Amino acid sequence: VNTRGKHPDLIVQQQHPFNAEPTLTQLLQAPTTPNDLFFARNHAPVPAVDVDSYRLSVTGLVEKPLELSLDDVYRLPKTTVTATLQCAGNRRKAVFAYKHVVGEVPWGDQAISNAVWGGVRLSAVLERAGVLEGAQHVACLGLDELGQGDKRFNFGGSIPLKKARCEEVLLAYEMNGAPLLPLHGFPLRLVAPGYIGARSVKWLVQICVQQTPSSNHYQARAYKLFAPHIDAKTVDWDKGLMLGEMSVNSSICVPEEGETLASGKLEIKGYAITGGDRTVERVEVSLDGGLRWVEARLSRVEPFAWCFWTVRLDLEPGTHCVVARAWDSAANTQPEDLAKIWNFKGYMNNAWPRVAFDVGPAVRADKRPG
Amino acid sequence: VNTRGKHPDLIVQQQHPFNAEPTLTQLLQAPTTPNDLFFARNHAPVPAVDVDSYRLSVTGLVEKPLELSLDDVYRLPKTTVTATLQCAGNRRKAVFAYKHVVGEVPWGDQAISNAVWGGVRLSAVLERAGVLEGAQHVACLGLDELGQGDKRFNFGGSIPLKKARCEEVLLAYEMNGAPLLPLHGFPLRLVAPGYIGARSVKWLVQICVQQTPSSNHYQARAYKLFAPHIDAKTVDWDKGLMLGEMSVNSSICVPEEGETLASGKLEIKGYAITGGDRTVERVEVSLDGGLRWVEARLSRVEPFAWCFWTVRLDLEPGTHCVVARAWDSAANTQPEDLAKIWNFKGYMNNAWPRVAFDVGPAVRADKRPG
């Protein structure tokens, strides 16, 4: 397993392939996640890439198909975009707690991270190739291989052409100023800000401009949202929502479930995110199940990136249960009750986060550090 | 009051200025609302327009300011867009029922209608004028006048430049193939699909390309979403969400509250809508408060337009309470409980609609009509 450059304290959900998330504490250390703490979501082993023979092919509904070497890519104008990637299965552990989900990675609230991506605009590459009439989607293929024998295939997915032409969509070769780690898609990764992480295809080897969404397993079957009454036995894989833009979501990271805090002024903290090019508008917390709300202070708000939020409260000793919710610029907010949005793949859990914690007796002033 | 061309059975919420919505039955007659039934939301009397001297000015951060006569506009390429307009105050009556909202029109679920708009693309006009560096918003002004004496001003609002450049944004002069009625903005109305109705400025007289959103009262103060704990006494008008893209929403139109239906197969019907360029993905109804859901059949789904939904159910005699919720392509869904999203202006009520109705004994087959 190539986990070079990753922090040893990551919570490893799976070794083969490597799936890991930072701890809640690590996650909140900085709005830009250090590369060694960035969550890793993989469906197959990290592929070996020979940088000299590597070519990115641009094909399909284009005037002039391209075969780009890495040097060809590096010669295009470089730009950077701050974007948060979030796995569609983020916050699935809470889904499990309500009703078990079979065969899926039990992510905590940390299958999400934020980085400054450096690379070239996908739109620049599409312009060079010349998109033809009738094109509607841009399908991407990675070098990572799944399946066995005759049924081997590469990971893939697609985004609408309209999105692909937006300036925030990159072919990234840098993450926070450093070359992409092999685990994160070296030498080239699509970064589709505002979309579920799976659409940011790693080890990118082919871009195909086409009329329909990708027929790849991970676009056509996996990463689909089904209604609560559908399960593995009744599912019709041709139906369901092909996940794309993210919904509005938030998490409470401090305190953690069951933690005991000293009474007096204490801080409740977390992150909030939304999808498309929408922005987080407001985050609120409630200590009475949603009847009264307190507005949180937000860190810098911008499209494509999460924001961190903080509420300072004075609480009496005892057990408290805090819930949170975010609102976005389209006036969407989170659904209250996980039980009512449960789905058998455990995707897109954006129900209000809930954390129960204890407040102990006050720490005497002379006992407080510093 | 110029209500020429409007249906006499509209529910008139206010005569001066004229504010009216169709009945639930009228609303569901056809996915394209006839012009005489289209809801009317006005803040001032319908202005008189002299079509010969009328000019639309395009000004602000542009290379070449324009003064366009109606003939100039008519000479530009004509296009049509199907778009649903929804007032930000739609479904406010339910908000009133929970807690009263002062000084606002008590719209039912029918401050929404759908039309095929004919006109020219705003982007075509912006291209002619040549948008300059630094431009971020497009502010529109109508001919309708508000206030008194020194404080007279015109109705206005703005949309982001990025949206203004999208092909769905029109300067419309036709509604369902007929010239715009005076009540609906003759001779020219901005149509900003996916945005709250207030941004589709009627009697359009000025387009100003600028760095900031419009400072007009109806952009900078009214049509803002505040948190539930804010009221008229505590509000800071500089804060709050300047409403733009609509959130995901739905309504139950059949049966109506308190109606008695014959038992046997009965139909529950309504509409669903979402904002931006997202599409309605799914509508579900529940008869047990949201524990079990039944998926509705949807009419044609496309961006910028509502869809109608239908569920056929076999229900026992007695009282039933049905709730509904829509999901959109960004996996957003409606919040459950109005009490928890209440805001003092009564905007953007997208809580689950709830209708209580009775099912009577079955009608004997030989007594059924036809």
Side-chain angles (χ1 to χ4, degrees), chain B residues 4 37 44 56 78 137 152 160 188 212 226 271 312 316:
Chain B
R4 182 164 60 77
L37 294 178
L56 171 67
K78 184 182 171 185
H137 297 268
R152 292 190 85 74
L188 220 51
T212 53
F226 291 95
Y271 65 78
R312 299 201 74 189
E316 294 297 308

Side-chain angles (χ1 to χ4, degrees), chain A residues 54 156 228 244:
Chain A
Y54 171 89

Side-chain angles (χ1 to χ4, degrees), chain B residues 122 159-169 191-195 245 276-277 304:
Chain B
L122 174 56
I159 57 174
L161 177 61
K162 188 179 169 186
K163 174 70 179 179
R165 283 178 159 151
C166 290
E167 58 179 22
E168 69 271 12
V169 180
V191 172
Y195 274 57
E245 286 187 7
D277 59 0
F304 314 124

Side-chain angles (χ1 to χ4, degrees), chain A residues 64-141:
Chain A
K64 195 174 60 172
L66 306 173
E67 291 279 328
L68 302 173
S69 70
L70 281 175
D71 281 337
D72 292 336
V73 173
Y74 297 153
R75 272 192 290 267
L76 292 169
K78 184 181 170 184
T79 187
T80 58
V81 169
T82 301
T84 300
L85 299 188
Q86 179 183 220
C87 180
N90 190 31
R91 303 189 60 217
R92 190 185 275 133
K93 198 167 72 179
V95 181
F96 274 48
Y98 171 67
K99 191 157 70 170
H100 195 69
V101 173
V102 177
E104 303 290 339
V105 180
W107 296 110
D109 282 23
Q110 306 100 262
I112 183 170
S113 300
N114 186 54
V116 180
W117 306 91
V120 304
R121 293 206 170 107
L122 173 56
S123 62
V125 171
L126 293 177
E127 255 172 52
R128 287 195 164 213
V131 173
L132 294 174
E133 195 85 11
Q136 293 285 340
H137 297 267
V138 175
C140 293
L141 219 54

Side-chain angles (χ1 to χ4, degrees), chain B residues 83-340:
Chain B
T84 300
L85 298 188
Q86 180 184 221
C87 180
N90 190 31
R91 303 189 60 218
R92 190 185 276 133
K93 198 167 71 179
V95 181
F96 274 47
Y98 172 69
K99 192 158 70 171
H100 195 70
V101 172
V102 176
E104 303 291 338
V105 180
W107 296 110
D109 282 23
Q110 305 101 260
I112 183 171
S113 300
N114 186 54
V116 181
W117 305 91
V120 303
R121 293 206 170 106
L122 174 56
S123 62
V125 171
L126 294 176
E127 255 171 52
R128 289 195 163 212
V131 173
L132 294 173
E133 195 84 12
Q136 292 286 340
H137 297 268
V138 175
C140 293
L141 219 54
L143 281 166
D144 44 339
E145 284 199 333
L146 299 116
Q148 291 184 321
D150 283 357
K151 305 233 169 130
R152 292 190 85 74
F153 68 99
N154 293 49
F155 182 90
S158 60
I159 57 174
L161 177 61
K162 188 179 169 186
K163 174 70 179 179
R165 283 178 159 151
C166 290
E167 58 179 22
E168 69 271 12
V169 180
L170 297 191
L171 308 181
Y173 47 78
E174 277 183 12
M175 197 171 160
N176 296 325
L180 271 184
L181 289 172
L183 191 65
H184 290 298
F186 174 86
L188 220 51
R189 172 180 202 166
L190 184 80
V191 172
Y195 274 57
I196 62 162
R199 303 305 173 227
S200 289
V201 174
K202 284 175 280 198
W203 311 293
L204 190 64
V205 66
Q206 191 193 73
I207 292 171
C208 184
V209 181
Q210 52 192 59
Q211 222 173 344
T212 53
S214 168
S215 59
N216 189 279
H217 172 84
Y218 290 96
Q219 180 80 34
R221 269 180 73 106
Y223 293 114
K224 277 184 145 181
L225 186 67
F226 291 95
H229 63 278
I230 307 290
D231 62 28
K233 284 176 196 139
T234 60
V235 64
D236 174 354
W237 294 105
D238 291 335
K239 297 192 174 166
L241 168 62
M242 235 177 228
L243 290 168
E245 286 187 7
M246 295 183 290
S247 51
V248 61
N249 205 353
S250 67
S251 170
I252 300 166
C253 302
V254 175
E256 296 191 32
E257 181 72 22
E259 204 175 327
T260 299
L261 303 173
S263 73
K265 281 273 180 203
L266 53 89
E267 282 193 334
I268 301 180
K269 296 196 279 191
Y271 65 78
I273 186 164
T274 185
D277 59 0
R278 298 177 288 287
T279 48
V280 172
E281 170 61 20
R282 196 166 77 222
V283 175
E284 299 159 334
V285 304
S286 173
L287 288 147
D288 59 8
L291 296 177
R292 286 166 303 168
W293 296 91
V294 178
E295 204 169 329
R297 193 162 38 84
L298 304 187
S299 67
R300 181 186 160 84
V301 167
E302 51 186 337
F304 314 124
W306 63 11
C307 64
F308 284 179
W309 57 264
T310 311
V311 169
R312 299 201 74 189
L313 291 170
D314 224 338
L315 293 178
E316 294 297 308
T319 299
H320 298 271
C321 181
V322 60
V323 299
R325 67 176 176 189
W327 294 77
D328 74 10
S329 52
N332 278 305
T333 192
Q334 301 178 234
E336 177 174 344
D337 190 354
L338 172 62
K340 293 168 188 162

Side-chain angles (χ1 to χ4, degrees), chain A residues 11 55 70 83 96 102-103 106 115 117 123 139 148 153 182 186 202 207 220 223 244 253 266 296 309 330 336 360 367:
Chain A
I11 301 168
R55 294 292 180 278
L70 281 175
F96 274 48
V102 177
W117 306 91
S123 62
Q148 290 185 323
F153 67 100
F186 174 87
K202 284 174 280 198
I207 291 171
Y223 293 115
C253 303
L266 53 90
W309 57 263
E336 178 174 343
K367 292 281 177 76

Side-chain angles (χ1 to χ4, degrees), chain A residues 162 226-228 240-241 245-248 277-278 281-282 284 290 293 325 327-328 330-332 336 340 352, chain B residues 162 226-229 240-241 245-248 277-278 281-282 284 290 325 328 330-332 336 340-341 352:
Chain A
K162 188 179 169 185
F226 291 95
L241 169 62
E245 287 188 6
M246 295 183 289
S247 50
V248 61
D277 60 358
R278 298 177 287 289
E281 170 61 22
R282 195 167 78 222
E284 299 160 335
W293 296 91
R325 67 175 176 190
W327 294 77
D328 74 11
N332 278 305
E336 178 174 343
K340 292 168 188 161
W352 295 357
Chain B
K162 188 179 169 186
F226 291 95
H229 63 278
L241 168 62
E245 286 187 7
M246 295 183 290
S247 51
V248 61
D277 59 0
R278 298 177 288 287
E281 170 61 20
R282 196 166 77 222
E284 299 159 334
R325 67 176 176 189
D328 74 10
N332 278 305
E336 177 174 344
K340 293 168 188 162
I341 63 158
W352 296 357

